[in-house]
Amino acid sequence: MTSTALHRIAPWATALILVALWWLGVKLFHIESYVLPTPFEAVEAIVKYRAALLHHGLATLSTTLAGFALAVAFGLCLGIFVGTFRIVYSALYPILIAFNSVPKAALVPILVIWFGAGTVLAVATAFMLSFFPVIVKVATGFATIEPELLDVLRSLGASRSDLVVKIGFPRSLPYFFASLKIAITLAFVGSVIAEIVAGNAGIGNVMLVASSSFNVPLVFAALIVVGMMGVGMYAIFALLETRFTSWSVRGATGIERMSGG
Amino acid sequence: MRDELVRPTRGSVKVGGEQVTRPLKRVGMAFQNATLLPWRSIRDNVLLPLEIVEPFRSQQRRQRGEQRERAEMLLKSVGLTGFGSRMPWELSGGMQQRAQLCRALVHEPAILLLDEPIGALDAFTREELWGVLQALWLERRFTVILVTHELRETGYLADKVHVMCARPGRVIASYAVPFSRPVSGNTFAPDFVALVHELRGNIDAAPA
């Protein structure tokens, strides 16, 4: 088997093994399905409630993407400032760290008071959870620009905006994409939390309603749907990453090659 | 300092009778490290100055074809034909330095500043690049200011040599190099070695 084929199969194989272990555990310890259903019951629930799951899944997806888009725009702008100007870094970074240390789930009730329950709340929570990695990564990309590269452009009489466009953006692109992959998964966490705390639609709401009626297979079905949406979005950004930043990855990782792997 | 990356502590720098207050457009610069932008192909790296320096900048759209051709010609003149689409990391150190020379020359500067561009290379690659530089100069006749620690290099490439010492940096001796151009290549000939010894003596005699 070629190594690319092996790499393609690896994640599916791991998933399959985990599902098998899950099924084995349930059967071995005779766990009731209202505590932990088997994987088959969860899939059954997906098929049975497919219309509702599709409807609420799309609701979650749209609020997540809206919050994520806001987070990317906001994080990109702030990240460039933080990474470019030392004074902005000094002024903002401690506050950003403090904000990020606050458990966001605890803030959702306050957001409910501000925005009421529903779509805006989910978007705001998704935004709140996901902008931090974008700022940090983009700032790192800009702050670690090699001064030699800047000298090349400066010696030609380049303006500050030339430096940002010709050096800053392309140099930070790998950092930016890395942050997108983290941010999109966090955005899902945010919108689902909001839907659980105070939602009237979305996957989180489905889970809340299902668990309160002890329909645990449906809870797991909903979890699987969220997980699949997360992996799907991640895959899209990973694809964009390899498309746009291939210069930064020269094949197998350097460390892997060093050990002869 | 010549190009305003650093400001002078004292005195002033004049080019063509005018005081230098900002980076000059007629200047090309090559650095100790190749400093190619890793996300651009070799060709796009060479074309970089044309995206910054006027009048090329505003002609960019109309003359893309011509500009690409110019880059290819330059790459050919330093022996990098066919490497335009490669990425910098695919090239050896010597090849990267040659690409950097192309970048420094693409906007047809009147003055070329070379800050030890050959210093980090092995002895053979270095001598090869001396040949490349000399050939480029014979063709275009620009003014070059070359900073180097390699004494044979001065004899091979320079018309005038100014010996500087450190702390505070100042000129302690100046020479006119007697060899006619193009220099034949044997940097171990007796008159060549004599010049190198004389330069060396100056540096040894300088106050520490």
Side-chain angles (χ1 to χ4, degrees), chain A residues 146 148-159 161-162 166-168 170-171 246-247 249-251, chain B residues 3 5 22-25 27 29 31 35-40 48-49 51-53 57 87 89 103 107:
Chain A
E146 295 82 351
E148 294 84 5
L149 296 185
L150 296 176
D151 278 349
V152 171
L153 263 79
R154 280 205 204 102
S155 74
L156 295 165
S159 65
S161 65
D162 281 335
K166 303 278 182 200
I167 307 260
R171 171 65 170 64
S246 53
W247 60 269
V249 186
R250 308 175 191 174
Chain B
D3 214 19
L5 293 177
R22 47 181 313 243
L24 295 164
K25 301 199 185 309
V27 168
M29 191 158 181
F31 301 82
T35 58
L36 299 171
L37 309 187
W39 51 86
R40 283 170 173 247
L48 179 70
E51 296 169 22
I52 306 290
V53 178
R57 185 178 193 150
M87 297 306 277
W89 58 270
R103 181 178 64 191
H107 54 300

Side-chain angles (χ1 to χ4, degrees), chain A:
Chain A
M1 192 185 296
T2 64
S3 82
T4 34
L6 203 66
H7 277 278
R8 202 153 290 167
I9 291 171
W12 298 102
T14 317
L16 211 66
I17 291 168
L18 286 175
V19 169
L21 285 176
W22 170 8
W23 179 81
L24 209 66
V26 173
K27 286 291 159 197
L28 225 57
F29 301 108
H30 305 287
I31 300 172
E32 294 296 335
S33 84
Y34 62 83
V35 178
L36 178 63
T38 64
F40 301 108
E41 286 167 319
V43 173
E44 247 172 24
I46 291 180
V47 176
K48 187 175 166 192
Y49 299 101
R50 60 183 177 276
L53 283 172
L54 184 70
H55 171 75
H56 290 285
L58 285 178
T60 299
L61 187 65
S62 56
T63 53
T64 301
L65 287 180
F68 171 74
L70 287 174
V72 170
F74 178 71
L76 194 60
C77 294
L78 214 58
I80 290 171
F81 271 104
V82 171
T84 307
F85 303 104
R86 295 287 313 171
I87 181 67
V88 181
Y89 178 93
S90 307
L92 270 184
Y93 219 69
I95 294 169
L96 284 172
I97 298 286
F99 178 79
N100 200 48
S101 310
V102 173
K104 308 296 179 306
L107 291 182
V108 176
I110 300 172
L111 293 183
V112 176
I113 297 172
W114 293 351
F115 300 119
T119 311
V120 181
L121 173 74
V123 172
T125 315
F127 164 78
M128 212 168 56
L129 248 81
S130 58
F131 73 80
F132 187 72
V134 181
I135 293 181
V136 172
K137 288 279 179 183
V138 171
T140 308
F142 270 80
T144 56
I145 291 172
E146 295 82 351
E148 294 84 5
L149 296 185
L150 296 176
D151 278 349
V152 171
L153 263 79
R154 280 205 204 102
S155 74
L156 295 165
S159 65
R160 199 174 263 266
S161 65
D162 281 335
L163 296 184
V164 171
V165 173
K166 303 278 182 200
I167 307 260
F169 283 149
R171 171 65 170 64
S172 326
L173 213 56
Y175 294 86
F176 178 62
F177 276 111
S179 78
L180 292 191
K181 292 194 293 187
I182 304 171
I184 186 66
T185 50
L186 287 175
F188 273 110
V189 174
S191 53
V192 172
I193 288 177
E195 287 160 2
I196 289 176
V197 174
N200 39 32
I203 289 290
N205 189 244
V206 170
M207 285 164 65
L208 186 73
V209 173
S211 62
S212 62
S213 59
F214 289 100
N215 190 351
V216 182
L218 180 56
V219 175
F220 276 82
L223 281 175
I224 290 171
V225 169
V226 178
M228 288 197 310
M229 287 196 297
V231 172
M233 294 312 294
Y234 183 97
I236 288 172
F237 289 115
L239 205 71
L240 288 174
E241 184 182 26
T242 44
R243 171 76 186 74
F244 287 110
T245 66
S246 53
W247 60 269
S248 68
V249 186
R250 308 175 191 174
T253 65
I255 294 169
E256 196 177 18
R257 261 187 308 202
M258 220 165 69
S259 60

